[in-house]
Amino acid sequence: MKLKLNLLFLLFSIVILAQDKQPKVGLVLSGGGAKGFAHIAILKEIDKAGIQLDYIGGTSMGAIIGGFYAAGYSANQIEEIVINTDFLTLIRDKLPRSSETFFEKEFGEKTVLTLPVEKGKVGLPKGISKGQNVLNLLLELFDAVDGNQDFSKLPVPFFCIATDVENGSPVILEKGSLPLALRASGSFPSLLNPVEVGDKLLVDGGISNNFPVSVMKAKGIDIVIGVDVEGELFEKEKINSVVALLNQIMSYQMYSKSDEEIKQLDVYIHPEIYEYTVVDFDKKVEILEKGTIEAKKFTKVFEEIAAKQLVKRKRKVIKYTNKKLLISDISIHGAKNYTRAYILGKLNIREGDSLSRKDITKKIHLLSATRNYNRIEYNFIKKTDGSYLLDFIVKESNENANLNLGVHYDLLYKSGVLATFNKKHLLKKNDLFSFDMILGDNLRYNLNYFVDNGFYISYGFKSRYNHFRSNSKFNQVSDLPNVSSINLSYSDLTNQAFFQTTFNRKFAVGLGVEHKWLKASTETLASDANEATIIDRSNYFSAFGYIKLDTYDKKYFVTKGFFADLNFNWYLASSDYNKNFEPFSQGKGTLGFATTFAERLTFQNTNEAGFTIGNPTSNIFDFYLGDYNQNYINTFVSLYGYEFAELSNNSFVKTQFDLRYRIGDKNYVSFIANYARIEDNVFKNVKLFDNVKSGYAIGYSYDSLIGPIELKYSWTPDLNEAHWLFNLGFWF
């Protein structure tokens, strides 16, 4: 027994002595944005040679790649993650439309620029995005189901560099939440917001130390391998964006400091990727290939280093799993203005649910869509019974007001500039106030106030003023002579108070009361006594109800989903300009769906109908069909092939078929066919195909930053007419 113990002690001593004598190898990965993908190729060659890394450090993208490897991901796994990740969508914090609130689907998605408003002053955003989607991905991939968020206990020791915003000094992060540390190290100014870690506000580590070789040397590492993906200073002709300008400014000090760091390296690797920029995320395959070419040059060097490592520990390997975990308890930290019930209601999570990390990411999208939070973190903590405590840490946003800007042009409303002011907590903690002011050829506004009670009944108030002028065939009013067209002036002021309940952000049901002031006039038939003929100028009072469904994946250029908008109004009283009002009711509805074949060809069908019960004495409530606008109000309905308001009567049915093919990412060609029947009562008999009006259009569309840019050629064989149609920007 004593002999066995002596042998074990001897073997243990030999192993310890061998470990003491063999060199410790460290790897330092520089920052460089998209260029950092080249690091993966070097790691693959290190894996192939069999080098055991004793320490890893990095900055920005180098920190993210190095952090993955230190946690247990292989180089091949990291490559797979990078290939399958849409970094441009990730950085923009773009959320799937299904996550958006019903309010945002209905009244948002029409502006291009958002500016924060604080104490009555308009400012500039800190970055393009808050970086929540980046953090979501990191939280999802760094599995910490044991509740251990301290990355000082990683299988391979790791550190990363961030920069203190207050003084520009480097901050070495080597403990705490690894996802949060990597998010901070990679917070490139203008792209991602700074990150609060402890009592410091941190941004990209590349500003202070993009290549932290000296930090690695200070750890007592014998052999330091450094991979540098920094480029060169741009010539002035290539500085054509804010990101390029900031990168140039950051590079002055970065490159001079890196020269000193490089002198301390034992192995220096610099892939030839000068032609790429920090935001060339769409060129990741090319960058990986460049890294592979450079890595192959160091195969023998890596093999020699590996040969000196006689004793190697078994490397821990992470296997990503989408396993669902039973949640028996939920804790929330950091909530101030919003209650636990509000947060869990938006997340749609309850105790007893079984969720994977990917499921949690989708739930966080729902909470992020409220725009009430700067950061949302979570951690699974395993309990003794095998279930889990889901621990959330939220950081609420201080930006409660913003100004959104958009532009638009079409052939009816002409040019328009939209300025939208949004304010939260105006009167209540869970309210939303939105005011759209549209300046241009036709002055308009939209005001919305909504108290969002989540699962419970919500309520709100809407006010809208709309005005346009058009040379149109709006000539169906009985007291006008038979003229071919008139110069119509149309004004609408509508106020609504309503109650609404929503289900899963897809479905809404509401009831309310409405006041509507309508004025329609024409100067085509002026007299000595009056400059214009008044068609109607009355106040109308009604009760209304609606049912809405919206599962479309996009507001524009839809590829899948369903849509419904069914409305019914009971007009009960009027100031009655024409002195002959009688109560009546009116219904109007839209049903649609879209589906896509082979990823690029989309078929979309939209069906509309409207009917009138009773006898409205003012023909202003007739349904008017014609033209192509998507921002019509009241009883105006688009119909390709016909001029604006060319067809009118008390009821109509219409169906439209869109066949749209996507070329590249943002270009579309389309063919549209629409058919309509418009009569006093189209539902009187089943002969729906009698007297059908038809129209067609072909067109080209571009999904631009400011909204759709569309040029279409439309025609109708019914009248042998053709029209060119054009619009620019989001519809409002």
Side-chain angles (χ1 to χ4, degrees):
M1 184 68 180
K2 187 175 180 180
L3 179 61
K4 287 183 179 180
L5 288 174
N6 287 334
L7 285 172
L8 285 172
F9 179 76
L10 179 62
L11 287 171
F12 180 75
S13 300
I14 292 171
V15 169
I16 294 299
L17 186 63
Q19 287 180 331
D20 287 341
K21 286 185 176 181
Q22 74 177 22
K24 293 182 179 179
V25 180
L27 176 68
V28 180
L29 306 176
S30 81
K35 295 181 292 182
F37 297 148
H39 291 315
I40 299 170
I42 312 301
L43 283 171
K44 288 174 73 174
E45 200 64 28
I46 285 174
D47 274 349
K48 186 178 177 181
I51 292 177
Q52 173 183 284
L53 294 175
D54 298 291
Y55 224 119
I56 300 174
T59 298
S60 196
M61 184 60 80
I64 294 172
I65 301 297
F68 277 120
Y69 193 85
Y73 282 102
S74 69
N76 286 330
Q77 285 176 307
I78 300 170
E79 182 179 39
E80 185 179 353
I81 291 168
V82 166
I83 293 296
N84 294 330
T85 299
D86 183 350
F87 285 90
L88 291 175
T89 298
L90 202 70
I91 289 172
R92 294 202 311 264
D93 255 0
K94 190 174 181 180
L95 297 174
R97 192 167 184 264
S98 58
S99 301
E100 296 287 358
T101 63
F102 207 89
F103 184 91
E104 179 67 18
K105 288 180 182 179
E106 191 170 9
F107 300 109
E109 304 176 301
K110 55 191 176 185
T111 56
V112 63
L113 180 64
T114 300
L115 302 173
V117 177
E118 187 173 357
K119 297 180 180 179
K121 295 182 179 180
V122 179
L124 293 173
K126 295 176 181 177
I128 291 175
S129 78
K130 294 178 180 178
Q132 182 62 50
N133 280 359
V134 175
L135 184 59
N136 287 346
L137 179 65
L138 295 171
L139 287 165
E140 191 176 311
L141 292 172
F142 288 109
D143 195 354
V145 293
D146 58 356
N148 176 24
Q149 285 279 5
D150 189 352
F151 72 88
S152 64
K153 299 181 176 67
L154 286 176
V156 179
F158 173 78
F159 71 85
C160 62
I161 304 295
T163 302
D164 191 327
V165 168
E166 287 188 319
N167 51 38
S169 62
V171 176
I172 302 172
L173 300 172
E174 34 192 358
K175 63 180 180 179
S177 167
L178 180 59
L180 191 59
L182 298 181
R183 166 68 183 84
S185 182
S187 296
F188 188 90
S190 80
L191 287 182
L192 299 174
N193 282 3
V195 177
E196 285 189 30
V197 178
D199 60 349
K200 297 181 184 297
L201 185 64
L202 304 179
V203 292
D204 196 293
I207 298 172
S208 56
N209 191 349
N210 197 51
F211 203 21
V213 178
S214 55
V215 178
M216 182 64 77
K217 277 291 187 180
K219 302 289 184 183
I221 301 300
D222 302 302
I223 300 174
V224 179
I225 303 169
V227 187
D228 180 9
V229 295
E230 292 176 1
E232 298 174 334
L233 292 173
F234 292 125
E235 296 176 356
K236 60 180 182 294
E237 291 80 11
K238 294 184 179 180
I239 305 174
N240 52 15
S241 69
V242 173
V243 173
L245 179 61
L246 284 173
N247 188 55
Q248 183 87 339
I249 294 170
M250 287 171 57
S251 298
Y252 300 150
Q253 179 181 350
M254 182 192 303
Y255 291 172
S256 61
K257 187 168 185 177
S258 292
D259 289 341
E260 295 300 316
E261 298 284 334
I262 291 168
K263 293 176 183 177
Q264 303 180 64
L265 283 172
D266 299 288
V267 180
Y268 176 60
I269 305 171
H270 195 174
E272 294 183 7
I273 48 176
Y274 303 108
E275 61 189 282
Y276 301 100
T277 70
V278 293
V279 291
D280 278 338
F281 296 105
D282 56 335
K283 298 177 181 177
K284 50 193 171 186
V285 174
E286 298 174 29
I287 294 170
L288 282 164
E289 289 175 354
K290 292 285 187 180
T292 300
I293 292 170
E294 191 66 22
K296 294 297 182 183
K297 299 175 183 177
F298 290 85
T299 299
K300 289 186 178 180
V301 175
F302 291 160
E303 289 175 349
E304 289 173 3
I305 294 172
K308 296 177 181 179
Q309 296 179 308
L310 301 177
V311 179
K312 294 186 175 68
R313 61 182 176 272
K314 187 175 181 181
R315 180 167 150 76
K316 178 184 177 182
V317 178
I318 285 182
K319 290 185 179 180
Y320 176 75
T321 175
N322 203 30
K323 179 182 177 183
K324 293 184 182 293
L325 306 175
L326 176 61
I327 300 168
S328 59
D329 197 7
I330 303 171
S331 63
I332 298 173
H333 306 281
K336 296 177 182 178
N337 292 315
Y338 299 95
T339 64
R340 173 187 172 91
Y342 174 89
I343 294 171
L344 294 181
K346 293 299 180 185
L347 288 167
N348 195 21
I349 295 177
R350 294 179 176 85
E351 292 175 358
D353 289 348
S354 292
L355 300 169
S356 67
R357 286 182 168 265
K358 192 173 286 293
D359 293 332
I360 298 292
T361 294
K362 293 177 181 178
K363 300 291 186 179
I364 289 177
H365 286 162
L366 301 176
L367 190 58
S368 295
T370 65
R371 276 72 171 175
N372 292 330
Y373 298 90
N374 281 334
R375 190 169 80 218
I376 305 163
E377 298 175 74
Y378 70 92
N379 186 27
F380 281 112
I381 300 175
K382 193 170 185 178
K383 301 171 73 173
T384 55
D385 61 359
S387 64
Y388 291 85
L389 163 66
L390 181 54
D391 185 32
F392 281 102
I393 303 172
V394 298
K395 186 168 183 58
E396 295 179 359
S397 173
N398 294 322
E399 296 178 1
N400 296 322
N402 59 61
L403 178 68
N404 299 331
L405 302 174
V407 294
H408 184 78
Y409 177 85
D410 64 65
L411 299 177
L412 177 64
Y413 287 99
K414 309 298 181 184
S415 60
V417 176
L418 170 66
T420 299
F421 176 71
N422 296 306
K423 179 79 171 76
K424 298 176 182 177
H425 319 314
L426 183 68
L427 302 175
K428 297 173 67 68
K429 283 187 176 182
N430 54 333
D431 68 8
L432 299 165
F433 172 81
S434 175
F435 181 75
D436 298 346
M437 192 68 195
I438 302 167
L439 304 173
D441 292 294
N442 291 279
L443 184 68
R444 292 174 282 157
Y445 81 75
N446 287 287
L447 182 151
N448 290 283
Y449 178 76
F450 185 64
V451 179
D452 185 357
N453 288 323
F455 292 122
Y456 305 105
I457 294 176
S458 304
Y459 58 91
F461 174 79
K462 302 177 187 178
S463 180
R464 178 193 71 206
Y465 174 74
N466 194 289
H467 173 76
F468 61 82
R469 291 177 178 271
S470 175
N471 287 315
S472 84
K473 297 185 178 182
F474 185 102
N475 62 348
Q476 306 297 319
V477 183
S478 59
D479 57 353
L480 291 180
N482 187 21
V483 294
S484 60
S485 66
I486 63 172
N487 180 15
L488 173 68
S489 175
Y490 187 95
S491 300
D492 168 280
L493 175 63
T494 298
N495 300 297
Q496 294 180 336
F498 65 95
F499 293 93
Q500 174 180 291
T501 185
T502 59
F503 305 93
N504 295 325
R505 306 192 179 203
K506 301 174 182 177
F507 188 72
V509 179
L511 294 171
V513 293
E514 175 185 274
H515 159 257
K516 184 184 290 289
W517 176 78
L518 290 173
K519 178 184 177 183
S521 63
T522 177
E523 295 179 358
T524 304
L525 300 167
S527 65
D528 294 336
N530 297 293
E531 294 181 356
T533 296
I534 305 298
I535 300 169
D536 196 353
R537 187 173 59 200
S538 304
N539 293 283
Y540 294 91
F541 303 91
S542 69
F544 67 88
Y546 59 84
I547 298 173
K548 298 181 180 183
L549 170 71
D550 190 349
T551 67
Y552 278 164
D553 63 334
K554 299 178 183 179
K555 182 81 168 182
Y556 305 95
F557 308 113
V558 182
T559 64
K560 62 181 179 179
F562 296 89
F563 180 85
D565 187 359
L566 310 176
N567 298 271
F568 194 82
N569 279 70
W570 297 266
Y571 290 94
L572 304 172
S574 172
S575 61
D576 197 11
Y577 175 80
N578 293 307
K579 311 281 184 203
N580 55 2
F581 175 80
E582 294 180 7
F584 68 97
S585 55
Q586 195 166 63
K588 183 171 177 285
T590 302
L591 295 172
F593 77 93
T595 186
T596 297
F597 307 93
E599 295 186 356
R600 292 183 178 274
L601 182 63
T602 298
F603 173 75
Q604 185 175 356
N605 174 232
T606 306
N607 303 283
E608 296 181 74
F611 61 90
T612 305
I613 300 174
N615 185 29
T617 50
S618 174
N619 286 356
I620 201 170
F621 284 97
D622 279 3
F623 293 99
Y624 293 89
L625 275 62
D627 221 12
Y628 70 110
N629 283 45
Q630 296 183 34
N631 54 0
Y632 282 151
I633 62 169
N634 298 338
T635 55
F636 293 95
V637 180
S638 67
L639 185 67
Y640 284 96
Y642 288 83
E643 293 183 24
F644 172 70
E646 185 169 357
L647 304 175
S648 67
N649 219 314
N650 280 331
S651 65
F652 80 98
V653 290
K654 174 201 161 188
T655 187
Q656 179 173 312
F657 304 100
D658 291 64
L659 200 60
R660 186 170 53 248
Y661 185 78
R662 178 169 58 87
I663 302 171
D665 292 330
K666 297 180 177 295
N667 298 276
Y668 299 83
V669 292
S670 59
F671 172 75
I672 301 168
N674 54 196
Y675 307 92
R677 191 165 170 242
I678 181 162
E679 295 179 3
D680 183 60
N681 185 357
V682 296
F683 305 103
K684 190 174 183 179
N685 56 58
V686 294
K687 298 178 180 179
L688 293 177
F689 298 101
D690 285 359
N691 196 26
V692 172
K693 310 296 182 183
S694 63
Y696 305 89
I698 56 174
Y700 163 77
S701 305
Y702 175 65
D703 188 8
S704 76
L705 181 66
I706 62 173
I709 300 174
E710 299 182 291
L711 179 65
K712 294 176 182 174
Y713 177 78
S714 71
W715 72 94
T716 173
D718 304 333
L719 302 175
N720 197 25
E721 290 183 354
H723 310 278
W724 282 100
L725 309 173
F726 175 76
N727 70 274
L728 179 149
F730 298 112
W731 291 92
F732 48 73

